[in-house]
Amino acid sequence: MAERGSVVDHSTIARWVLHYAPILSQRIRREMGRPNRSWRVDETYVRVAGQWTYLYRSIDSAGDTLDFLLSPNRDLAARDFLQLALSAGRVQPRVNP
């Protein structure tokens, strides 16, 4: 913000993120197209800020990301993410026997 001639403390920006992130998330999710019933959960291991972190994504058959979760722990994160993805209520996946 210094290039714009105003000085903003980093804690102010952190408060803005905490306040506006849920609002932006709701608006973005409304604009996203409805996914089809064929989707899967993908897990990978990526470096974030110099530390290895698990990235869980739910991806539909068109390759669009439906939701994601970054977690430093693998044990409970996979279960929690799957519960989160299923409880979103948008589209329940079909199950192949």
Side-chain angles (χ1 to χ4, degrees):
M1 301 285 290
E3 66 270 4
R4 302 271 183 193
S6 60
V7 178
V8 178
D9 190 49
H10 69 279
S11 62
T12 302
I13 294 175
R15 282 195 307 268
W16 290 345
V17 168
L18 291 174
H19 178 76
Y20 290 111
I23 296 168
L24 289 172
S25 178
Q26 279 183 339
R27 290 185 180 184
I28 289 170
R29 289 181 192 280
R30 265 193 307 224
E31 298 298 322
M32 288 174 50
R34 290 197 46 95
N36 52 31
R37 291 189 57 207
S38 177
W39 57 274
R40 62 187 173 85
V41 174
D42 180 33
E43 172 191 350
T44 189
Y45 204 51
V46 296
R47 254 184 119 85
V48 176
Q51 294 189 352
W52 288 102
T53 306
Y54 288 96
L55 170 64
Y56 295 94
R57 298 181 299 165
S58 56
I59 303 169
D60 70 359
S61 63
D64 297 327
T65 300
L66 305 176
D67 208 348
F68 70 93
L69 172 73
L70 284 171
S71 174
N73 302 324
R74 183 177 186 212
D75 296 339
L76 298 176
R79 185 194 61 174
D80 292 345
F81 176 69
L82 191 56
Q83 286 178 349
L84 175 70
L86 291 174
S87 70
R90 291 169 37 180
V91 173
Q92 294 295 320
R94 68 170 192 254
V95 178
N96 292 332

